[in-house]
Amino acid sequence: MYKALALASLSLFGAATAQQVGKEQTETHPKMSWKTCTGKGGSSCTTKSGSITLDSNWRWAHVTSGYTNCYTDNTWNSTTCQDGASCAKNCAIDGADYSGTYGISAGSDSLTLKFVTKGTYSTNIGSRTYLMESDSKYQMFNLIGNEFTFDVDVSKLPCGLNGALYFVEMAADGGMGKGNNAAGAKYGTGYCDAQCPHDIKWINGEANSDGWQPSDNDKNAGTGKYGACCPEMDIWEANSIATAYTPHPCSVKGMTRCTGTECGDGDNRYNGVCDKDGCDFNSYRMSVKDFYGPGMTLDTKKKITVVTQFVGSGSDLTEIKRFYVQDGKVFKNSDSTIEGVKGNSITDAWCEQQKTVFGDTSSFKKLGGLKEMGASLARGHVLVMSLWDDHAVNMLWLDSTYPTDKDASTPGVARGTCATDSGKPDDVEKNSPDATVIYSNIRFGPLGSTFAEPA
Ligand SMILES: *[C@@H]1O[C@H](CO)[C@@H](O)[C@H](O)[C@H]1NC(C)=O
């Protein structure tokens, strides 16, 4: 929701990206299978082979002719990168050592992302990965009329971390061929989301080096002049304490480069092309405080199956429903117990009730609500699986009292039990380097096809 400077990465080799293809490390995508289902109840599912690629922001970028970094720590080499276009021509992004450098490993149908990985040359923080259909194309999904189901283990995710599984309207080829982008989806290019992030190093085949400001609290990140906007459907943003699912519509289609007001920067948060707040369903925020957490109804000490249904047809999306399964038992999503907000699923009406009662600005409605979200989903989305800490607001919007200066008893302010001084990147990186999220057993198909839906 307040996702901003999400990234982090390498230090010595300098997390870097570029647009030509480097030859120093062969890119071998970890394999991860998933299933498409038909019929009812999850009994007729077919396994599809798939694989994972790492986002280009995390990759080593160096001059095409050798080993010199194009980007080191949080700055660009001003000789090689005098402007974005020539930088993208001069620099290459390379293959990834998934487990050694990035702490990413895939089982047959699972993906494990480890938080801090100390490699030979670098310390890596978090990661962002995409599901691929082939070596050079992202797997595209149209969620409308379908349900998306996966298992997740959040038991090793403390306050301040976010194991996120979500969809964004990226191009299937990662923008291959745009500008100087010769790397494409194989190397994880083309990311965008509804925060219109400025920390994206390569946009439309150019380096985002213009006006680049090194972050003042993240030694691996910075922000450029351009942002990368696109509609985003957050299926799962969570740690062991709190979780939310959130549609974020935008007025733009697909990956769109922005500057200034259209990015919704600073005071223009509600004047941009994307709905940065989204319409979030977080059970704790809807005042059900014993539903999700360690030892609770959904026990985050154990694996949880998460089912999300996109009710509608064509490009019409009318409702986003949530079920959970744990230990063979199916749970409906918790009902809101906030006065004036009724229901346990996301509809336009529910969102407006929630925004009104919480006193939040409804950029969700202004940017078209579920109708616009549906139009975006129907164009096709890419599946993202990531793990990150939050250099902007310590993930307090997800798991704590936020804004921190408001009374936790004010409706909408309490989002989880994490302390208001928790989640600082320095603390979590030092104290919880082994934090890990495991995503597994992805299933996709028409409503009711992936699990035994309650009557
Ligand atoms: C920047 O790039 C130039 C040209 O490749 C190189 O000579 C120089 O050493 C680089 N600077 C740094 C700090 O890496």
Side-chain angles (χ1 to χ4, degrees):
M1 185 168 153
Y2 284 88
K3 210 180 304 173
L5 295 174
L7 310 181
S9 340
L10 292 170
S11 45
L12 187 106
F13 263 175
T17 44
Q19 295 285 270
Q20 306 306 305
V21 171
K23 305 265 173 2
E24 309 306 333
Q25 164 95 43
T26 306
E27 173 66 10
T28 308
H29 297 138
K31 298 217 175 314
M32 181 192 193
S33 68
W34 58 288
K35 293 190 177 103
T36 54
C37 304
T38 56
K40 286 281 162 204
S43 55
S44 33
C45 299
T46 309
T47 300
K48 302 208 27 149
S49 56
S51 63
I52 293 299
T53 192
L54 174 70
D55 183 275
S56 58
N57 249 38
W58 272 258
R59 295 173 183 269
W60 177 32
H62 56 88
V63 294
T64 50
S65 52
Y67 295 89
T68 305
N69 288 347
C70 288
Y71 178 99
T72 306
D73 298 339
N74 52 22
T75 53
W76 296 90
N77 181 319
S78 57
T79 311
T80 325
C81 294
Q82 284 176 5
D83 63 82
S86 61
C87 182
K89 203 176 268 175
N90 297 336
C91 302
I93 31 176
D94 222 303
D97 173 356
Y98 280 83
S99 58
T101 303
Y102 300 102
I104 298 171
S105 54
S108 59
D109 73 345
S110 73
L111 177 69
T112 301
L113 306 180
K114 188 171 169 277
F115 183 39
V116 178
T117 306
K118 284 200 176 2
T120 318
Y121 302 106
S122 60
T123 297
N124 180 70
I125 310 293
S127 55
R128 186 166 66 221
T129 67
Y130 310 111
L131 183 66
M132 308 212 68
E133 176 188 56
S134 68
D135 209 34
S136 57
K137 285 265 158 66
Y138 298 129
Q139 177 68 49
M140 301 305 291
F141 288 86
N142 178 355
L143 296 170
I144 300 180
N146 290 312
E147 69 192 21
F148 184 92
T149 299
F150 67 106
D151 296 347
V152 66
D153 181 343
V154 294
S155 63
K156 294 190 183 123
L157 291 182
C159 293
L161 289 187
N162 188 341
L165 181 150
Y166 58 106
F167 286 92
V168 287
E169 198 186 332
M170 292 164 70
D173 63 1
M176 181 87 166
K178 269 198 183 169
N180 290 318
N181 184 353
K186 181 176 180 183
Y187 293 86
T189 66
Y191 183 72
C192 51
D193 69 36
Q195 303 305 315
C196 301
H198 283 267
D199 60 356
I200 306 303
K201 292 172 190 157
W202 303 90
I203 302 177
N204 287 353
E206 291 179 15
N208 195 11
S209 49
D210 233 23
W212 186 263
Q213 299 284 336
S215 164
D216 57 14
N217 69 353
D218 185 342
K219 62 183 188 302
N220 298 310
T223 52
K225 174 173 140 193
Y226 297 111
C229 311
C230 66
E232 169 180 353
M233 176 65 227
D234 293 328
I235 300 257
W236 184 252
E237 293 195 280
N239 53 41
S240 58
I241 304 301
T243 185
Y245 74 100
T246 312
H248 294 265
C250 299
S251 59
V252 295
K253 295 179 180 144
M255 155 52 222
T256 307
R257 190 170 82 169
C258 68
T259 53
T261 303
E262 55 187 8
C263 305
D265 296 343
D267 290 347
N268 282 310
R269 182 174 181 85
Y270 299 109
N271 299 322
V273 296
C274 286
D275 171 25
K276 293 193 174 188
D277 289 3
C279 171
D280 62 306
F281 199 114
N282 167 338
S283 293
Y284 193 97
R285 194 176 184 215
M286 302 320 295
S287 207
V288 184
K289 301 186 173 174
D290 57 359
F291 186 63
Y292 179 90
M296 296 193 186
T297 305
L298 291 170
D299 185 357
T300 56
K301 287 186 283 195
K302 298 183 287 191
K303 191 156 76 172
I304 300 171
T305 300
V306 181
V307 183
T308 312
Q309 296 186 325
F310 294 82
V311 182
S313 62
S315 62
D316 289 328
L317 174 65
T318 55
E319 183 177 10
I320 309 171
K321 295 172 77 167
R322 165 61 50 84
F323 296 91
Y324 297 96
V325 186
Q326 191 170 50
D327 294 334
K329 211 173 141 191
V330 177
F331 298 88
K332 292 182 177 174
N333 194 24
S334 58
D335 272 294
S336 162
T337 59
I338 297 271
E339 199 169 320
V341 193
K342 294 272 159 293
N344 70 347
S345 69
I346 291 178
T347 61
D348 282 333
W350 186 90
C351 295
E352 283 324 290
Q353 287 174 10
Q354 192 233 42
K355 301 280 180 191
T356 303
V357 170
F358 290 171
D360 290 343
T361 304
S362 190
S363 54
F364 180 74
K365 183 177 183 183
K366 184 178 147 197
L367 284 161
L370 286 188
K371 185 174 184 352
E372 201 56 46
M373 190 73 242
S376 169
L377 291 176
R379 292 189 291 266
H381 274 226
V382 171
L383 174 63
V384 186
M385 289 175 278
S386 71
L387 175 59
W388 57 288
D389 60 356
D390 182 356
H391 287 261
V393 286
N394 306 338
M395 220 68 79
L396 303 174
W397 57 270
L398 175 68
D399 60 21
S400 183
T401 298
Y402 191 85
T404 54
D405 58 358
K406 287 211 172 153
D407 195 312
S409 64
T410 308
V413 173
R415 296 129 193 275
T417 55
C418 297
T420 53
D421 63 354
S422 69
K424 291 178 186 135
D426 281 351
D427 293 343
V428 288
E429 289 168 22
K430 192 170 82 203
N431 300 325
S432 309
D434 294 330
T436 296
V437 61
I438 307 170
Y439 305 107
S440 62
N441 197 14
I442 291 173
R443 288 148 279 169
F444 176 70
L447 301 187
S449 67
T450 70
F451 83 119
E453 195 172 358

